[in-house]
Amino acid sequence: MNRILFCHDRSNQRLALDIDEEHGTDNVTDAENVESTTFSNPLVEDCISIGQLEVCSTQELGSKDIFQEESSHKTDRISRETNEKLNHINLYPSTCAVLSANSDVNISETAAEISGEIGEEKSRTYNVAKQVEQDGPLECHSLSYTSRKLLPLKHYHNEARAMKDIQKFLSNPIILFRIETSTVHDIVAEMITKLSSEKPHLKLKTENIIASLVEDRSDYKLMEIMQGMKTNDRGECQTEPSFVTILCSSNEVTENHVVMCLVDNPVNLGHGAEEIHFIALVLSPLKEKKIKCALEVARTYSTLLADVKLRHQLKGATNPTEFAHIFELEVHRIYTEERASEEKSIDHHQDLGDNKKWCFGYDLLNDIRRRAPHYLSDFTEGVKTCAGIQKITSTIIFLFFSLIIPCIAFGVLFSSLTHGIIDVRKVILSQALSGLLFSIFGGQHLLVIRTTIPLTIFTKVIYSISDENEMDFHTFYALSGLWTSLFLAVSSLTGLSNLMRYCSRSTEEIFALFVSIAFTVDAIKFIADEFDYHFCFDSEECSAAKSLLSLLLLLGTVLIGCEIYNFRYSPYLTAAKRSLVADYALPVAVLLMAFTGSWVFRKVEMGTFHDDNPTNFVFEEWGELTTGMIFGSMGIGFMQGLLIFMDQNIAASVINSPSYRLKKGPAYHLDIMVVAIINAIMSVFGLPLVHGALPHSPLHVRALADVEEQCDHGHVSEIIVDVKETRVTTFVCHILIWISALFLIPKPLNYIPIPVLYGLFVFLAIVALDDLELWERLLLVFTEQNSYPPTHYIRKVPQKMVHYFTLVQLIQLAVLCAVSFSGYPYLKMLFPAFLALMIPIRLKLVPKLIREQYLEALDGQ
């Protein structure tokens, strides 16, 4: 049997001492290399299954004289060996923990074996309460017996007793609302007092009940509790620290009683319960049948409190009555979702036999059938509460500014590439019309569709070919767009989007980081051109002030936007108000810097866009149609269709990630078909094509999300609790954009200086880096190792392989950048092919370079 001793040396480095009793050998290694295997032992607290509840029962026992037991000689030997090892590695007095690496050894027995004298070293073992004397030997005054049991979550649809218990509580809810007490003893006392006051016939003896629940001398302050177990966003199992259910069986009651408590400020109840917001007390008779015992009742309420959305909604209650009402609504939601999930599972198993053969258009029809029941709720979700309306309003404003301003920038670019044929007004009209159609008919309506930089490249190639061959641009452009739409429609009907299941997180992150780089590169090119053209002193067109002001406005937009966006992490105001302020980071930054550029520095002439073609939505007449135009446009249409297919599906895959907790499911095939129809309309009317885009789509989801901060081993992370999956935001936003195209061009939109537009691009690029694991791993190269976050891949993958995988991704990213930023338009057209090539590279080549075990941790969903 091996024993592992964790300790510190004089340089404060944590070491692991491995003692092999059987062979008499020992080994001193770094603790980090040992913890990952040691803590996988099923006897250790940190090894927990997913989706389960943990019952922890603690009891203090009288201590035995272990030196009179048969194992006294064995204990002395362990003590002597430990002292020798401590002296050998020159340790100073420190906190040590001795763990058993043998799963067959009983924890309590092991604790008793190691409780002898260990010189002057201070030591704390699992499950043993020790009293340390500074100058004397280590002695135990008692033993602490802990029993742990993992239980499955309650299924309310299958277990009728659970719903009866909840209905009984809701008929006369006993709720202790927003108390300010911070100690376990006082909280439990107030809960018992509240129960006695609501039900005076019980005649409870408060002190007796408290004595059976709380033991101040024990490390485990609560004697018998139940908590939820979860897997965090880094794949690590841990205890849910925000709620706890206290179990108590007493002969003073004849039926079950439940008291719910919401504390005003988070309470720290010890390891695994550092941020307790909710406490449920279950008081049951000593003699009760199994389905009505304290354990089963506690399991009922713990399963409810394990729902992150229920906890988030209850935190918003303003009084006990509203708390009970929200609790009832959330119970109904959980019950309904559970029943729908079971019915869906049954239908899936029944359909397995019918789907063995491929059917033309089946995937598209399946998307329509799955999304149709949610269509009405897509417009009503989030508009029934003040908080929901506030969230939707801020999201509409965010979307409006994040779309209208890039439209102006792309309009200026399109105008220069096509010599004014496609201008700012047409780009804004394209955004308004396509966004309205997709918000009404799209499957995954949270996707934000817009024109992108790669599409401008294709437009430039189309214009160059038509100009060199004296072809009509409108005809050639429309033909290319119609071929693109045809390829997209065929891919939707044939279920080609199913191939995107092979698109891993690695490919998605490479493309997401590429988009951020593209935004930043465009801004840098703009500033470089401004300085090349204006920062001189030998001609009338020179204006050093204009160049410097352009740089000031760009950086000012970025800095103000980032500061306001990061206000959510500050200690000021309340969490809700901080989030509200952060939601308006983009419009505030743009308006402030637009005012600065157009009014404060009005004497400096800044570049703005011009509206030389004030035409609205009109049909562009076609010119002469030739065979060369048909086949030439077919090749361009195929590559353009591949680009839209890849970008659309990658954007949809990103927002359908499990971390966003979307409930209504994806609709890849339906979205591709809707985008195909929209682009056919855009082509005929000579407007820019569109597709689902990054980073706007995940930023849109994040704007509609309610988030919650959690602290894990000192690392603060945010999790999404709930997302308001509504079509209202995109629908209203694009109506406002349509109005802007009709009435706000040229003024007042041309008051926004062009540097502010590019500052917006950089802001979006920086914000999109949040939660991008590739960017996080790239920063590790420049981070001190002691400051590495406790992510799952740091624990499971050697540091060298982490950097190696990052290097492989950076090489692929460099290839995409080289193709996209090259000076050859025809090479840029191959960008979608290189992007599609990333999928087989990840599937076939990368596993030959890095072990599959490591890839699962580094590239898992």
Side-chain angles (χ1 to χ4, degrees), residues 323-339:
F323 184 98
H325 178 65
I326 294 175
F327 189 82
E328 183 176 7
L329 294 177
E330 289 300 305
V331 168
H332 177 72
R333 175 188 63 81
I334 293 172
Y335 179 82
T336 304
E337 290 178 356
E338 186 178 287
R339 183 174 59 183

Side-chain angles (χ1 to χ4, degrees), residues 67 176 203 266 340 368 406 414 451 527 557 567 647 654 660 716 861:
F67 296 101
L176 204 58
K203 298 180 180 180
I368 296 174
F414 270 108
T451 192
I527 291 297
T557 304
F567 185 74
D647 288 9
V654 169
Y660 287 115
V716 179
Q861 295 293 333

Side-chain angles (χ1 to χ4, degrees), residues 746-758:
K747 294 182 179 181
L749 286 181
N750 64 351
Y751 285 126
I752 302 176
I754 292 180
V756 176
L757 308 182
Y758 285 96

Side-chain angles (χ1 to χ4, degrees), residues 227-404:
Q227 289 181 271
M229 310 309 297
K230 65 177 183 179
T231 301
N232 60 19
D233 57 350
R234 296 181 302 279
E236 302 167 345
C237 295
Q238 64 181 31
T239 306
E240 171 56 53
S242 61
F243 80 90
V244 64
T245 303
I246 306 173
L247 291 77
C248 179
S249 297
S250 174
N251 55 8
E252 298 185 14
V253 295
T254 57
E255 60 178 352
N256 294 323
H257 299 281
V258 178
V259 182
M260 297 287 292
C261 174
L262 173 62
V263 296
D264 194 33
N265 295 306
V267 178
N268 188 346
L269 299 183
H271 177 67
E274 297 90 351
E275 301 176 76
I276 296 295
H277 291 271
F278 299 92
I279 301 175
L281 173 63
V282 177
L283 190 60
S284 299
L286 282 175
K287 294 182 179 181
E288 186 65 271
K289 59 181 180 180
K290 186 175 181 180
I291 62 172
K292 296 172 66 177
C293 66
L295 183 65
E296 290 301 317
V297 177
R299 187 166 151 241
T300 297
Y301 288 90
S302 295
T303 302
L304 289 175
L305 292 174
D307 187 88
V308 64
K309 185 177 179 180
L310 177 140
R311 298 197 306 270
H312 180 77
Q313 296 293 337
L314 290 179
K315 288 179 184 178
T318 57
N319 54 66
T321 303
E322 184 180 355
F323 184 98
H325 178 65
I326 294 175
F327 189 82
E328 183 176 7
L329 294 177
E330 289 300 305
V331 168
H332 177 72
R333 175 188 63 81
I334 293 172
Y335 179 82
T336 304
E337 290 178 356
E338 186 178 287
R339 183 174 59 183
S341 177
E342 291 182 359
E343 292 175 353
K344 180 180 178 180
S345 178
I346 294 174
D347 293 339
H348 173 73
H349 289 297
Q350 291 177 348
D351 292 342
L352 286 178
D354 302 330
N355 298 335
K356 293 181 180 180
K357 295 184 179 180
W358 174 81
C359 181
F360 186 78
Y362 173 80
D363 295 301
L364 175 62
L365 294 176
N366 193 36
D367 281 352
I368 296 174
R369 183 178 60 182
R370 185 174 60 252
R371 294 292 304 193
H374 304 293
Y375 191 76
L376 181 60
S377 66
D378 289 343
F379 289 95
T380 59
E381 185 172 346
V383 299
K384 298 179 181 179
T385 63
C386 293
I389 294 174
Q390 188 180 71
K391 178 67 73 174
I392 289 174
T393 302
S394 64
T395 304
I396 291 172
I397 297 174
F398 165 79
L399 267 186
F400 175 77
F401 279 90
S402 64
L403 290 176
I404 190 69

Side-chain angles (χ1 to χ4, degrees), residues 672-746:
I672 288 291
M673 179 59 73
V674 173
V675 168
I677 296 172
I678 290 174
N679 282 327
I681 298 173
M682 298 295 107
S683 303
V684 171
F685 286 92
L687 301 177
L689 305 188
V690 295
H691 59 75
L694 299 175
H696 291 71
S697 296
L699 290 178
H700 178 215
V701 177
R702 183 63 181 259
L704 287 170
D706 295 321
V707 299
E708 185 178 272
E709 286 188 356
Q710 288 193 350
C711 182
D712 175 25
H713 301 291
H715 180 71
V716 179
S717 60
E718 285 188 342
I719 62 169
I720 291 180
V721 177
D722 180 50
V723 176
K724 295 170 177 58
E725 301 181 49
T726 176
R727 296 178 186 264
V728 174
T729 52
T730 50
F731 183 79
V732 175
C733 170
H734 287 93
I735 287 179
L736 295 177
I737 293 176
W738 188 288
I739 295 174
S740 302
L742 298 179
F743 302 107
L744 300 183
I745 296 178

Side-chain angles (χ1 to χ4, degrees), residues 5 17 19 67 71-88 113-114 116-119:
L5 175 66
L17 177 62
I19 303 174
F67 296 101
S71 60
S72 59
H73 297 291
K74 187 177 183 180
T75 304
D76 290 338
R77 180 173 56 81
I78 296 173
S79 178
R80 287 195 302 272
E81 289 179 357
T82 303
N83 276 319
E84 291 174 2
K85 304 307 175 184
L86 290 174
N87 294 330
H88 177 69
E113 291 178 353
I114 65 170
E117 298 182 2
I118 311 182

Side-chain angles (χ1 to χ4, degrees), residues 636-670:
I636 295 177
F638 174 77
M639 294 304 298
Q640 197 167 227
L642 180 60
L643 170 70
I644 295 177
F645 176 83
M646 292 296 299
D647 288 9
Q648 171 75 27
N649 281 297
I650 288 177
S653 178
V654 169
I655 70 169
N656 286 311
S657 170
S659 61
Y660 287 115
R661 299 179 184 270
L662 301 183
K663 303 179 292 295
K664 299 178 182 180
Y668 294 99
H669 314 281
L670 175 58

Side-chain angles (χ1 to χ4, degrees), residues 768-781:
L769 297 178
D770 281 353
D771 301 327
L772 198 61
E773 201 169 276
L774 171 57
W775 178 253
E776 182 182 283
R777 282 187 276 105
L778 184 60
L779 294 179
L780 291 181
V781 179

